[in-house]
Amino acid sequence: MYGFEAMTFNIHGGYLEAIVRGHRSGLLTAADYNNLCQCETLDDIKMHLSATEYGPYLQNEPSPLHTTTIVEKCTQKLVDEYKHMLCQATEPLSTFLEYITYGHMIDNVVLIVTGTLHERDVQELLEKCHPLGMFDSIATLAVAQNMRELYRLVLVDTPLAPYFSECITSEDLDDINIEIMRNTLYKAYLEDFYKFCQKIGGATAEIMSDLLAFEADRRAVNITINSIGTELTRDDRRKLYSSFGLLYPYGHEELVVCEDIDQVRGVMEKYPPYQAIFAKISYGESQMLDKAFYEEEVKRLCLAFEQQFHYAVFFAYMRLREQEIRNLMWISECVAQNQKSRVHDSVVFIF
Amino acid sequence: MEESNLSIGNGGGGGEEEEIETLRFLDSLDGYVTLLHSLSSTLRQGWLELASARHSMGSSRVSSALLDLKVQSASTTCGVTDSVDGSPSGPHYTLLKWVSSKEGKCYSGEEGSTQLQKESSSSQLRRRGLSHISEGNEEASSAASDSHPTVDNIIQKQRTKSLSVFGALVSPKLRAAQGSFETALETIVELANLRSAVLSAHSRLQEDSADVVGTS
């Protein structure tokens, strides 16, 4: 039960909530996207972005620009804002903000391990890591031969340590084991984040439950679709689904046996929130499913700002910025490849 | 071309043959240009699908930093057969796709398809031994497909194996990009063969024109 946050929230969280709401007003609008979609070259995109909050980050980049440069600089802006908020935050907000980055940490761990398996240079891999997911001993991951060593040598001192209990084996790391490790870690992280938000309680618990449940359900659908036609068994697939969300547990039981996209549709259409998502795509087609999920996610994230005195605004802001960076990446790729007619395939307007 | 027109105008003895050669040359040239446009379109589609996969899966999952640098045999090779007996037909290119590194067998390609059908029917007992790779499956239909793998299943496994550098669970968009680049590879080999035909038709035309000019 909540209702008294108004009396105490601003003591520790008022400044940062004001900061994040200010950052939110700097998100690109539909007018900005319309201008960007009409650009002919990446330099035109840079020129249009110079009038936005990304201007200072791109102004010194020399021509010719690359799409990876635009994404890198926009991500740097997000990282700077996040670090400013983190250093100003007190408990439990600081822990909440750290939770937001654990997903990137998992991605970085898997990137280093996979790249090492493929005999890539560690420095090259570190440059590709997401800056929000960096930690001190990340480079040491390259020496581990199996998950037990990964845990013992490196990850035991990181926030991901508690998530490893479900996937520690002495099996050598190969592509399928790494994929199972990635999804098992992410499942444990989502469940832990969910419990943490429930412990905070109030509006944070209510709004974050909805957002994390949606994330868990979307991951279940993506795991199902991506594992169709692979060697992943049904038991392994079931183990990768989270233990919460609208689809838990009956939807998961039905998703486990799906062998094609139409069967997945049949399962998801039984749930009204997801019926609207699958209504946007035609039968047998899954290309537009990502965009449909992103649109639904953006709608829910924007609604988080309608209430005050909770931490979900920080999570929502980070996710909206990441969506914005994905939009900019897609627009840049379409412009660079001279495929402007396809630019609206994947751009999700936020406002 | 001007020499061939002159020889036609002169009504030389080989005029009809020359017309046939000219038409043959123009036909092959037209086919070459059409195929070139088709290749360009397929490659554009492939690159956009790759960007779409990167958008969907994330830049850290679809990145050149993940490509495997270990020494491994190529899953697809191109064979070149030189012209025999000095015939002016030029070299012939053959694409051998999805060669299994374990057995050195080709599972797809211009010359491999008929051989493949024979091999798959004769080696089903041998293939059944591969069923231990997939874990116990309660569904009868899946168990049946494991015990009787088809050619398509083997090719699909090879395709999945080549995509595994990006992870075991990849987006359908990445598979679509793989399909586009596979089609582009076939088109390139077809283009090479067609170019060889165009050049040989042109050289025959030039020889005929030279003969006509010489006799006249």
Side-chain angles (χ1 to χ4, degrees), chain A residues 54 57 68-82 104 129-132 318 321-322 325-326 328, chain B residues 59:
Chain A
Y54 292 112
Y57 289 85
T68 48
T69 309
I70 294 175
V71 172
E72 199 182 296
K73 294 301 167 188
C74 295
T75 305
Q76 190 55 48
K77 176 187 179 312
L78 174 63
V79 171
D80 290 345
E81 288 172 353
Y82 171 80
H104 294 299
C129 287
H130 197 289
L132 282 177
M318 296 293 289
R321 272 292 181 200
E322 285 169 5
I325 292 170
R326 270 196 295 273
L328 289 173
Chain B
S59 306

Side-chain angles (χ1 to χ4, degrees), chain A residues 40-299:
Chain A
E40 295 288 330
T41 63
L42 294 181
D43 286 321
D44 287 346
I45 290 179
K46 176 183 161 186
M47 187 188 68
H48 280 289
L49 288 178
S50 65
T52 68
E53 293 184 357
Y54 292 112
Y57 289 85
L58 285 170
Q59 65 186 9
N60 293 328
E61 290 305 310
S63 296
L65 271 183
H66 293 283
T67 55
T68 48
T69 309
I70 294 175
V71 172
E72 199 182 296
K73 294 301 167 188
C74 295
T75 305
Q76 190 55 48
K77 176 187 179 312
L78 174 63
V79 171
D80 290 345
E81 288 172 353
Y82 171 80
K83 285 183 176 170
H84 171 255
M85 290 192 290
L86 184 63
C87 72
Q88 301 281 339
T90 58
E91 286 293 340
L93 178 57
S94 54
T95 301
F96 183 91
L97 289 174
E98 283 170 358
Y99 264 104
I100 295 174
T101 64
Y102 291 171
H104 294 299
M105 218 177 269
I106 292 169
D107 287 340
N108 286 351
V109 166
V110 173
L111 173 67
I112 300 282
V113 169
T114 306
T116 306
L117 194 69
H118 298 158
E119 296 184 4
R120 305 298 301 219
D121 180 50
V122 173
Q123 283 309 314
E124 185 188 4
L125 296 170
L126 289 174
E127 285 168 13
K128 296 285 184 184
C129 287
H130 197 289
L132 282 177
M134 297 298 277
F135 52 93
D136 289 336
S137 51
I138 191 170
T140 323
L141 288 167
V143 303
Q145 298 294 319
N146 55 51
M147 284 181 229
R148 204 174 290 279
E149 280 184 17
L150 259 183
Y151 175 77
R152 188 174 58 84
L153 294 175
V154 186
L155 297 171
V156 65
D157 295 322
T158 67
L160 301 182
Y163 309 145
F164 257 78
S165 59
E166 294 183 34
C167 59
I168 292 184
T169 65
S170 296
E171 285 182 33
D172 280 346
L173 294 165
D174 62 17
D175 293 320
I176 194 76
N177 288 341
I178 290 173
E179 194 68 38
I180 290 176
M181 178 182 79
R182 180 211 305 272
N183 286 287
T184 307
L185 286 176
Y186 209 93
K187 173 193 166 183
Y189 151 64
L190 273 185
E191 289 171 359
D192 190 33
F193 196 5
Y194 184 82
K195 284 181 198 151
F196 177 75
C197 294
Q198 294 297 309
K199 207 165 74 169
I200 294 177
T204 301
E206 183 194 355
I207 298 169
M208 284 303 297
S209 296
D210 177 62
L211 294 174
L212 291 177
F214 179 79
E215 176 72 16
D217 292 340
R218 180 174 59 178
R219 284 190 68 82
V221 171
N222 283 337
I223 286 168
T224 308
I225 291 173
N226 292 348
S227 61
I228 290 170
T230 67
E231 290 178 358
L232 194 73
T233 64
R234 288 179 181 176
D235 281 341
D236 283 340
R237 193 195 277 185
R238 186 186 285 112
K239 284 178 197 166
L240 300 182
Y241 297 150
S242 298
S243 306
F244 68 100
L246 192 60
L247 297 177
Y248 174 79
Y250 305 111
H252 289 168
E253 288 305 317
E254 292 185 63
L255 280 178
V256 153
V257 299
C258 289
E259 298 292 339
D260 59 50
I261 181 70
D262 288 330
Q263 289 179 15
V264 172
R265 172 195 283 269
V267 171
M268 299 302 286
E269 281 181 340
K270 294 176 191 168
Y271 298 86
Y274 302 124
Q275 197 176 26
I277 292 174
F278 279 81
K280 295 181 189 176
I281 61 174
S282 47
Y283 280 87
E285 182 241 332
S286 63
Q287 301 289 333
M288 303 304 287
L289 186 59
D290 281 336
K291 183 179 178 186
F293 268 113
Y294 284 137
E295 283 174 345
E296 178 67 20
E297 184 189 23
V298 162
K299 204 165 64 175

Side-chain angles (χ1 to χ4, degrees), chain A residues 111 117-120 175-176 179 182 226-227 230 234 287 290 326 329-330 333 337-339 342, chain B residues 44 47-48 54-56 60-61 64-67 69-70 139 164-165 167-168 170-173 175:
Chain A
L111 173 67
L117 194 69
H118 298 158
E119 296 184 4
R120 305 298 301 219
D175 293 320
I176 194 76
E179 194 68 38
R182 180 211 305 272
N226 292 348
S227 61
T230 67
R234 288 179 181 176
Q287 301 289 333
D290 281 336
R326 270 196 295 273
M329 187 274 277
W330 180 250
E333 284 285 350
Q337 294 184 27
N338 200 20
Q339 298 250 33
R342 303 288 299 273
Chain B
R44 273 167 62 85
W47 284 117
L48 191 69
R54 195 182 294 123
H55 176 270
S56 170
S60 64
R61 290 198 62 189
S64 57
L66 291 172
L67 297 176
L69 287 182
K70 283 190 285 200
E139 291 296 321
S164 63
V165 289
V170 296
S171 163
K173 293 177 183 177
R175 297 202 179 111

Side-chain angles (χ1 to χ4, degrees), chain B residues 12 64 105 165 203 205 208:
Chain B
S64 57
K105 304 278 183 201
V165 289
S203 63
L205 205 56
D208 288 346

